[in-house]
Amino acid sequence: ACPINPRQRGFIWASGCSENLKLLQLVVKCAKWEHCELGVVFVDIAKAFNTICHQHIINSLSQRGVDPHIIQLVSDTYKNITTYLD
């Protein structure tokens, strides 16, 4: 329903870390060679779905054209959530 960006390395079977490091190394090398300024940003989204508003997730799925049945299934997982410790 939501296509994965080819640079995405989480949640897929791939040797992404080494591939992405090689890509970064190439970008830095090219910037040096061409005497270009380069800005690099690293984003750590650990627990991203733990900190984002659930309604925002539902709205985003709707905006992306995800099937309403799937949206309802996701929405239902966020209703009446409880945790029990034994």
Side-chain angles (χ1 to χ4, degrees), residues 48-61:
F49 293 104
N50 194 27
T51 58
I52 193 168
C53 172
H54 297 161
Q55 190 57 47
H56 182 72
I57 295 171
I58 303 304
N59 291 344
S60 295
L61 291 173

Side-chain angles (χ1 to χ4, degrees), residues 16-85:
C17 188
S18 62
E19 184 180 330
N20 283 346
L21 287 173
K22 288 288 187 184
L23 178 62
L24 177 61
Q25 190 176 36
L26 179 62
V27 168
V28 171
K29 185 177 178 179
C30 287
K32 284 182 179 180
W33 179 261
E34 297 175 5
H35 303 286
C36 296
E37 290 186 10
L38 175 65
V40 178
V41 176
F42 294 93
V43 179
D44 182 3
I45 57 169
K47 294 189 175 185
F49 293 104
N50 194 27
T51 58
I52 193 168
C53 172
H54 297 161
Q55 190 57 47
H56 182 72
I57 295 171
I58 303 304
N59 291 344
S60 295
L61 291 173
S62 180
Q63 288 174 351
R64 300 274 272 170
V66 174
D67 184 274
H69 178 70
I70 300 298
I71 294 173
Q72 188 61 50
L73 289 173
V74 173
S75 181
D76 288 346
T77 65
Y78 291 122
K79 292 182 181 170
N80 301 319
I81 299 173
T82 56
T83 301
Y84 297 96
L85 299 175

